[in-house]
Each structure stands twice: as structure tokens, then as C-alpha cells.
Amino acid sequence: MQKRDQYHTIEDFLTDISFQRWIREGENHENWVEWSLENTQRAKLVEEARLWILATAVPIPPKNLTQTALQNTWDKIQLKEKEAEPTFASSSNRFWWWSAAAIVIVGLGIGWVFYQQNQTKEPLLTYSELISQTAEGLIEQTNNTNKPQLITLSDGSSVLLYPKSKLSYPRSFAGRERKVFLLGEGFFEISKNPQKPFLVFSNEVVTKVVGTSFRIRAFSNQPNIEVTVKTGQVNVASNDLITKAEKKSVTLLPNEGIRFLRQALSFEKMATLPNKDVSAPSTYEIEQVNFEFSDTPVSQIFAILEEAYLLEINFPAEKLKDCYLTTSLQDQPLPEKLKIICESLGKNTRYEMNGNQIIILSNGCN
């Protein structure tokens, strides 16, 4: 990391083998992304260097590799000739060194061809390359904290973005589809719109829904991608832009999960969903929450939402102390849940959302 902290030109990146491997193979992806996003100027240089590497048919070779090797061999030959006497033995030595030179030259040629062939294989598209194929500009949000962050999308859908994860999404959804890009882990609650399906691109997998709730775990350094469904119906397909394989898909119903084996490029049905594990980055708490309420105090409903979404809800406790609700919030994104609660309490109740903090404004229930 210290070496690349000194990079100030595009050439610095182009001659870095580890940078080439990141761009072409996704190697050490998360570390490169985190480092690139530390300042704007660095991010611009990285992007320019990335485009240069993608535009070339083969990666940039080490500077003067062949010329240097040949010159070294020729210097050794000349030195040997000066040291040797004009005898039969010297002729043998000269012949041996010329043979050695030929072997080195042929070896370099074969090695370089092999290097080119391996480097010019069609690589897996990286997260950044997937995003670059979208026409619209995207907002990128990275969670560098140690707890989930709530993201509300323009269509009313909500996403709990977990630590060490990144979500890229448009400011507003245009066209016939709603597309977002996930690197890492997120729990999605999608607003219903049958005419405009919602698609999550996460490495080798595309998850397509109309309105439902589900979780995706798609870290670059993990061998598998997991999709688990809480409510609704989800279609999970292999991303043929990345896998270059025959497209495969599977449909999941509530309480079902699928695992995509990245090495085998195949799906494996999960017999049981992951259990809560306090030591893991994801605890799957929200999947275990029941959002069906029958004559339940509003204060209790708010407490359940706070725990499920790891947020803070401020409300006038005294004015709402005698308010009870019977409602189902099971298959709704968080903004829709809050809207239903406020409408149930009366026209004088509304909410304001600011990141992970929600303020309920109310004069009491009807």
C-alpha cells in the first residue's frame, strides 16, 4: 500500500502488475476500491488507468523485458570470448554460449506468447466494469462502519447495507427496469411495481423481483453468493455478461435460499437458511421479525422497527401512549411501513427520515 501511495501519474498504475490483475481479474478488489476512494484525485487517476488497460489487447509488459534479457546474454558471450584462448576449447565454449543465447531467446519468445495468451483470455467483468456499462449516472454508497446503514431509494424501496459493502443506484429510476449494483451484503425491501421489475446485479448473479424482501451476500473474496427470501417471489439468474456460460435461473419463494458456487458456475439450493450468528457480519435478525400486529401499542411497534432496522425513532410518547394498531407490515419496505402507521394514526401524523434517524410528528391518534 505504501508504494502505491506515491503514484501520481497514469504510468505508475500501468506498470503495476497488481493493478493490472485487479482490473483484469478482480484480484484484491476490495482493498483497491477502498484505497482508490480515499481522495478524488486518486480516483480519477485510477479510472483513467483502468480505461487504458481495458482498451489494450494485452497488458503492458515490464519495461524493455526482452531487450534487457538479450543484451545481458550478449554481454556474457562477449566477456567469455575475451577470457578464452583461440583453441578448440574456446570454439566449444563459443558454440555453447551461442546455443545458450538461442535457448534464452526462444525461451523468452515462448514465455511471452504464453503470458499474452493467458492475459488475453476473456476476464470476468468486475463490479466497476458492470457499472460502467450503465448509461445513467449512479450514486455510490459504501458502508465503512461496523453496523448496517439504511438507504432509501427513489421508488420507496429500502436497503439495509451491511459493513464492508457498497451499493450503486440511480438518483431516480428511468426506463422499464429498476437496476442497482451490490458489492457485499444487503437486505432489500422492494416497493411493488409489476410494470417495472427491480434488478440487483451482484457479481455473477442477477436477482429480479417485483415487490418483495430478500437478502444477498456477494462479497468478492467469498467462494459463494447467497440469496435468501423473506417474503414474495424472487428470480435469481447467472449473469451471462460475467460468467460467459449458459444462463441459468431459479425461482425462490418465502423462507427459501440459493447458493451460487462461483468456481463451478452453478446453483445449489440451501437446505436450511442461515441461523443467527452474533460473530458473523450478518445476524439475519430482520428475517426473524414478525411485522403482523394485532391491537399493539404504537410505542411497541416503533421499538420493533428500531431493533429490526437498527435505527432511531423519535416520537411524542405522551401523545401516542393510548394509541394501538392492528395492521400487517410484513411485505412492505420501511418507508411504506411508516406511511401506513402514520395514516392509521390520523391525518395529523407524518414522519421525516434522515439516514438512520426517523422523527414522528403527531398530535395523537384519532
Side-chain angles (χ1 to χ4, degrees):
M1 297 290 180
Q2 293 179 349
K3 177 184 175 182
R4 64 188 186 192
D5 284 341
Q6 307 303 317
Y7 290 178
H8 301 294
T9 66
I10 295 178
E11 288 75 15
D12 292 332
F13 292 96
L14 297 182
T15 55
D16 187 324
I17 299 300
S18 64
F19 180 79
Q20 296 179 27
R21 288 176 178 168
W22 169 46
I23 298 302
R24 292 194 174 278
E25 303 172 12
E27 183 176 302
N28 204 21
H29 177 74
E30 293 185 6
N31 287 335
W32 272 104
V33 169
E34 183 177 348
W35 179 82
S36 301
L37 297 177
E38 286 180 0
N39 64 67
T40 305
Q41 185 62 30
R42 178 185 293 170
K44 290 180 179 178
L45 280 174
V46 168
E47 178 61 17
E48 290 180 22
R50 184 184 74 85
L51 293 176
W52 270 100
I53 288 187
L54 294 178
T56 59
V58 295
I60 297 174
K63 190 176 291 185
N64 298 325
L65 173 65
T66 305
Q67 179 181 350
T68 301
L70 292 177
Q71 185 62 50
N72 289 340
T73 303
W74 178 249
D75 290 342
K76 289 180 181 179
I77 293 172
Q78 290 184 317
L79 179 62
K80 189 67 177 179
E81 285 183 332
K82 288 180 181 179
E83 294 174 348
E85 295 296 330
T87 62
F88 177 79
S90 69
S91 299
S92 299
N93 287 334
R94 186 179 300 111
F95 174 79
W96 185 90
W97 277 106
W98 277 111
S99 300
I103 292 172
V104 171
I105 293 171
V106 172
L108 283 170
I110 294 174
W112 181 240
V113 169
F114 179 78
Y115 181 72
Q116 285 184 321
Q117 288 177 342
N118 276 274
Q119 293 298 318
T120 55
K121 287 180 180 178
E122 188 68 32
L124 295 182
L125 288 178
T126 65
Y127 179 83
S128 301
E129 289 172 287
L130 274 175
I131 291 177
S132 68
Q133 294 182 359
T134 62
E136 67 272 17
L138 298 176
I139 299 171
E140 292 197 343
Q141 187 157 336
T142 303
N143 186 353
N144 293 320
T145 70
N146 58 1
K147 63 180 182 180
Q149 292 180 341
L150 179 67
I151 301 175
T152 303
L153 305 179
S154 61
D155 65 338
S157 300
S158 58
V159 184
L160 269 180
L161 186 66
Y162 283 79
K164 300 180 180 179
S165 303
K166 180 167 69 171
L167 185 73
S168 301
Y169 56 96
R171 191 173 301 278
S172 61
F173 292 106
R176 298 180 180 179
E177 296 176 326
R178 297 171 285 172
K179 296 181 180 180
V180 301
F181 301 82
L182 173 70
L183 178 64
E185 180 174 9
F187 180 80
F188 294 78
E189 290 184 311
I190 307 304
S191 62
K192 294 178 174 62
N193 187 345
Q195 281 71 46
K196 201 167 187 175
F198 193 100
L199 287 82
V200 183
F201 291 81
S202 45
N203 293 325
E204 293 92 338
V205 164
V206 181
T207 304
K208 182 177 181 180
V209 300
V210 170
T212 184
S213 58
F214 56 96
R215 180 186 296 269
I216 299 176
R217 298 190 78 246
F219 290 97
S220 295
N221 60 353
Q222 296 296 318
N224 305 319
I225 298 172
E226 294 180 355
V227 180
T228 56
V229 179
K230 181 180 181 182
T231 62
Q233 181 174 302
V234 169
N235 179 265
V236 184
S238 57
N239 188 347
D240 53 355
L241 288 176
I242 291 184
T243 62
K244 302 299 180 184
E246 182 180 352
K247 192 163 187 176
K248 305 172 184 177
S249 65
V250 63
T251 299
L252 300 177
L253 298 175
N255 301 315
E256 291 185 341
I258 198 76
R259 184 178 289 112
F260 183 80
L261 310 179
R262 304 178 76 179
Q263 188 68 29
L265 299 179
S266 62
F267 287 108
E268 174 185 86
K269 202 74 174 285
M270 297 169 66
T272 58
L273 298 188
N275 294 321
K276 180 178 177 180
D277 181 2
V278 294
S279 65
S282 163
T283 61
Y284 295 91
E285 286 182 344
I286 194 167
E287 284 92 333
Q288 301 167 16
V289 178
N290 183 6
F291 292 111
E292 300 285 347
F293 302 106
S294 178
D295 200 25
T296 306
V298 170
S299 59
Q300 183 178 335
I301 295 176
F302 288 148
I304 291 173
L305 293 179
E306 283 184 320
E307 183 177 356
Y309 292 94
L310 300 176
L311 47 75
E312 179 184 351
I313 301 179
N314 297 319
F315 63 95
E318 187 63 27
K319 293 180 179 179
L320 299 177
K321 66 179 181 179
D322 297 323
C323 299
Y324 295 77
L325 288 182
T326 297
T327 185
S328 173
L329 306 177
Q330 191 67 21
D331 194 18
Q332 304 290 345
L334 179 59
E336 188 64 25
K337 285 181 171 71
L338 295 171
K339 180 181 177 182
I340 292 173
I341 293 172
C342 290
E343 289 179 349
S344 300
L345 292 175
K347 294 181 179 179
N348 62 351
T349 301
R350 60 187 178 87
Y351 76 91
E352 295 179 355
M353 182 181 295
N354 183 16
N356 281 38
Q357 185 176 45
I358 295 170
I359 300 175
I360 305 295
L361 304 171
S362 178
N363 293 324
C365 50
N366 293 336

